[in-house]
Amino acid sequence: METMNDNTIDLWQEGLVRFNRAADHLHLDDGTRQVLSHCKRELIVSFPVKRQTGDVTVFTGYRVHHNVARGPAKGGIRYSLNVSLEQIKALAMLMTWKCAVVGIPFGGAKGGVICDPKAMTIRELEHLTRRYATEIEIMIGPDRDIPAPDLATTAQEMAWIMDTYSMHQGKVVPGVVTGKPVSVGGSRLRAEASALGIKLVVEQAARQNNLALEGLRVAIQGFGSVGMACAKMLHALDCKIVAVSDSKGGALNKNGLDPQHLIEFKRNRGTIKGLPGAIEIENDELLELPCDILIPAAVETQITARNAPKIKAKVIIEGANAPTTCAADKILRDNSIMVIPDFLANSAGVIVSYFEWVPDLQSFFWSEDEVTWNLRMILGRALDEVFAKAESMRVDIRTAAMVVAVDHVAQALDLRGIYP
Ligand code: GLU
C-alpha cells in the first residue's frame, strides 16, 4: 500500500483549530487572532517546462508567507502531486510556530510545485526548479524569504535556486536558500539535522517517561533521509528499531533491525519491502505496533481518528509535518499517549538552516562541533520551556508548544504595532 495522505482532511482548517485553542489560553485579542488566521502573501504560479521529448508541460506552484513579524520568512519547497494551496498555507503557518517555539528570528513560509519528481529526468527537474525560482523571485531573498529543502527536494535543488537567483542579481547570494551543498555555502550537518534533533527529543521523552534508552522499541514510518538517519542514530544509542516502512511497505523484527542492513537493501532495491529476516508489514500496521516510541516521518495525515484508537506506542515523536489530525490528537490524549508535535520535534532542520544563513551573510562558517553544540542548546532550551509549560498549564505538549510559539509571535506583532 502506498503511504498516502488523507486528502479529505483540510490541513489549513486543522491549523486554525490548533491556533485558536492556543489563542484562547492566551486570551488573544480579536485583531491579533485575525492577523494570525490569515497568510500575509499567497503566490500562485503556472509556468511551462520543455521536456526532454520536446513537449511542453505547464506546472503550477505556490509560495506562501504566513507571518513575518519575527523576521524574514523561512520554509521549505516540496515537489509532490499532493501539493495544494491549502496545504502550503497550513505548512507555512506551521513554520511560523516552528521558528517561534525555538526562538530563531524567522517568520513562516512554504512553497511547492504540483509534480511527480520520480517521473522526471534530472535535466527536467533542473529546468523546473530554475523556472519556479524565477517565478517566485518577487518573494524570496536573503533578507525577505529563504527557502530550504522539503519533500523530494534536496541540496541539489537548493544549489540550482541559489545559482538562478545569483545570476539574476549579478552577484553570488548564498543566503537566499539554506540546505545547500557545503561547497556552495551549506552548513555541516544540515542533511542530518532533523534526525539529530529527533534523537535529542527521543532522549528527552525517554527521561520524561522514565524509559531506558537501551532496548527502547522504536518504530519509524518513512525511510527517506530523516527516517534513515534517525534509525542509525537511535540504533547507536542502543534503542531497538523494531519496524520501519517506506511508501511501498515495511519490515518488522521484534528483536531489532540493523539500520546499515536496511540502508543497503533500500539502496539496491529502492524499497525495504521484502527485507530478508523480517516480517513484511503494511504502512498502516506499523503505526499500530506495540512499541515505546513511534516516529511518523513520512507525510501528512497518517494518524487519524480511524487508527488513533489502535495505537499502542507510549510516545509519538512527529518527524514529518502534520502527521496527526486534531481528531486523532484527542484520542491519543485520552489514551495518555504523549505526542511531541512536529513543529518542535523536527525543528532541528530549520535551526541548522539558521546556522547556515548567519554564516552565509558573514562568509564565516561553523565547525561540526559548533553546529552540534548550538543545536543542543537551542532545542534543549525549547524542550525544557515547553515541558515546563505543559506541566504548569496541565495541558498536552502540543498545546503547550503552541501557547509558547503563539505568545512569541503575538508579542512581536503587538510591539511592532499596525502600519500605518
Ligand atoms: N522543510 C523543513 C521544515 O519543514 C526545513 C525548513 C527550513 O529549513 O527552512 O522544517
Side-chain angles (χ1 to χ4, degrees):
M1 195 201 75
E2 292 278 319
T3 321
M4 293 298 284
N5 41 2
D6 186 340
N7 288 327
T8 61
I9 290 160
D10 184 336
L11 279 188
W12 172 248
Q13 289 305 326
E14 295 254 315
L16 287 181
V17 168
R18 285 175 175 152
F19 162 65
N20 279 312
R21 189 170 309 130
D24 289 344
H25 280 289
L26 290 162
H27 306 292
L28 276 197
D29 62 86
D30 189 51
T32 308
R33 275 183 198 250
Q34 282 192 51
V35 171
L36 293 173
S37 299
H38 289 83
C39 287
K40 183 180 173 65
R41 300 185 182 101
E42 298 167 25
L43 178 67
I44 305 177
V45 293
S46 289
F47 54 90
V49 173
K50 194 171 267 174
R51 311 299 291 255
Q52 253 164 267
T53 54
D55 296 342
V56 171
T57 307
V58 173
F59 291 92
T60 297
Y62 309 95
R63 186 73 186 166
V64 170
H65 295 172
H66 171 250
N67 184 271
V68 291
R70 298 184 59 263
K74 187 87 191 78
I77 290 171
R78 53 173 56 193
Y79 291 169
S80 161
L81 289 172
N82 276 316
V83 164
S84 68
L85 180 58
E86 294 301 293
Q87 179 206 52
I88 297 295
K89 280 170 62 181
L91 296 170
M93 186 199 242
L94 203 58
M95 286 305 301
T96 303
W97 314 140
K98 195 180 293 193
C99 297
V101 77
V102 295
I104 55 171
F106 292 126
K110 202 80 178 189
V113 179
I114 306 171
C115 66
D116 177 5
K118 286 190 182 143
M120 297 177 73
T121 67
I122 183 90
R123 285 285 76 82
E124 290 173 343
L125 276 173
E126 178 175 355
H127 291 315
L128 176 133
T129 304
R130 288 184 181 277
R131 180 63 189 252
Y132 170 69
T134 306
E135 297 288 344
I136 63 165
E137 205 171 288
I138 51 173
M139 283 173 85
I140 65 174
D143 48 11
R144 286 193 292 170
D145 171 7
I146 307 110
D150 201 79
L151 282 186
T153 56
T154 64
Q156 176 60 80
E157 279 76 15
M158 297 309 116
W160 288 328
I161 296 175
M162 179 271 220
D163 183 70
T164 304
Y165 188 85
S166 297
M167 288 295 120
H168 296 168
Q169 298 292 314
K171 59 183 181 187
V172 183
V173 190
V176 67
V177 281
T178 58
K180 299 177 295 294
V182 172
S183 50
V184 290
S187 171
R188 294 184 195 287
L189 293 180
R190 177 62 183 81
E192 311 81 321
S194 299
L196 202 54
I198 288 170
K199 183 185 106 172
L200 298 177
V201 176
V202 168
E203 288 172 328
Q204 174 104 2
R207 263 197 308 277
Q208 205 75 25
N209 291 281
N210 291 321
L211 299 167
L213 285 173
E214 196 183 332
L216 194 75
R217 294 164 306 155
V218 181
I220 305 174
Q221 185 202 34
F223 208 61
S225 55
V226 178
M228 265 187 217
C230 259
K232 266 207 303 210
M233 287 181 197
L234 295 176
H235 184 256
L237 286 181
D238 287 333
C239 298
K240 204 191 282 177
I241 311 300
V242 289
V244 297
S245 66
D246 61 28
S247 61
K248 301 204 174 72
L252 160 75
N253 186 336
K254 286 190 184 128
N255 298 321
L257 298 159
D258 174 6
Q260 209 46 50
H261 182 200
L262 281 165
I263 292 168
E264 273 157 35
F265 189 81
K266 170 113 184 165
R267 193 176 298 134
N268 293 335
R269 302 282 181 95
T271 173
I272 41 146
K273 190 177 155 85
L275 184 87
I279 300 169
E280 214 172 297
I281 52 167
E282 297 281 326
N283 247 297
D284 265 5
E285 284 176 84
L286 179 133
L287 299 173
E288 297 163 18
L289 288 176
C291 63
D292 298 304
I293 308 256
L294 172 63
I295 305 178
V299 291
E300 314 82 67
T301 58
Q302 295 300 295
I303 304 178
T304 63
R306 188 177 50 81
N307 57 7
K310 295 181 241 161
I311 288 186
K312 297 171 198 71
K314 297 192 176 93
V315 183
I316 297 176
I317 296 179
E318 297 184 336
N321 287 319
T324 311
T325 64
C326 292
D329 249 348
K330 183 177 176 327
I331 298 166
L332 298 170
R333 215 169 28 239
D334 291 347
N335 291 346
S336 303
I337 297 173
M338 179 187 270
V339 180
I340 318 276
D342 44 14
F343 66 101
L344 181 61
N346 70 33
S347 61
V350 74
I351 296 173
V352 178
S353 276
Y354 174 52
F355 302 160
E356 175 172 339
W357 179 72
V358 172
D360 273 339
L361 301 183
Q362 302 169 334
S363 296
F364 182 80
F365 290 93
W366 296 10
S367 70
E368 223 168 87
D369 284 351
E370 282 168 308
V371 171
T372 311
W373 191 87
N374 282 289
L375 172 63
R376 271 185 184 278
M377 189 194 59
I378 290 189
L379 185 55
R381 196 176 52 199
L383 286 166
D384 288 345
E385 186 181 359
V386 169
F387 275 93
K389 180 68 89 185
E391 206 168 299
S392 68
M393 289 179 67
R394 296 177 181 279
V395 292
D396 59 285
I397 307 290
R398 190 190 310 276
T399 305
M402 279 296 291
V403 167
V404 170
V406 173
D407 195 22
H408 285 321
V409 181
Q411 280 184 39
L413 279 174
D414 186 44
L415 287 166
R416 288 181 60 165
I418 293 178
Y419 174 87

